[in-house]
Amino acid sequence: MAMMMAWKKHLVSNQTLISSTRFFSKSAPQYVEKVGILEFLNGVGKGVETHAGKLETEIGDFHKLLVTRTLNLKKLGIPVKHRKLILKYTHKYRLGLWRPRADTLKA
């Protein structure tokens, strides 16, 4: 019985500790409001932004980039590693799992 009381007291004290630290976390990240091809590629990073000019002229629209397939990117001369990154992040963007952050564009 005393052991049970000790566990309850321990759990309650840990629960208040956890709930009080939750409010001291970082603020929510700031995302780019209007996303274009350049903002998207800068958000992906890893050297993909070097193809921004090529994609702007050939594809033109960000929504067309979201449905572009790997063969179209290959015809533009984009290397495999960068094609994979672009396709990976366009898929995540379409699902709503990723957005380019505003602080990555400033750097």
Side-chain angles (χ1 to χ4, degrees), residues 2-16:
M3 183 76 133
M4 243 174 153
M5 295 288 281
W7 273 107
K8 281 185 182 179
K9 187 176 180 181
H10 178 70
L11 290 175
V12 169
S13 67
N14 281 343
Q15 188 177 15
T16 57

Side-chain angles (χ1 to χ4, degrees), residues 14-26:
N14 281 343
Q15 188 177 15
T16 57
L17 178 66
I18 291 170
S19 64
S20 65
T21 58
R22 189 175 301 157
F23 295 108
F24 296 109
S25 64
K26 292 182 181 178

Side-chain angles (χ1 to χ4, degrees), residues 40-41 44-48 51 55 65 68-74 77-94 98:
F40 181 81
L41 295 177
V44 172
K46 301 177 184 168
V48 176
H51 307 291
L55 291 172
L65 177 66
T68 300
R69 300 195 180 246
T70 187
L71 192 58
N72 295 349
L73 297 176
K74 184 177 183 177
I78 298 174
V80 175
K81 185 177 182 179
H82 291 169
R83 285 197 307 256
K84 284 184 175 183
L85 284 169
I86 292 169
L87 294 172
K88 174 182 163 183
Y89 282 95
T90 54
H91 182 70
K92 285 183 176 186
Y93 185 87
R94 280 191 313 245
W98 180 83

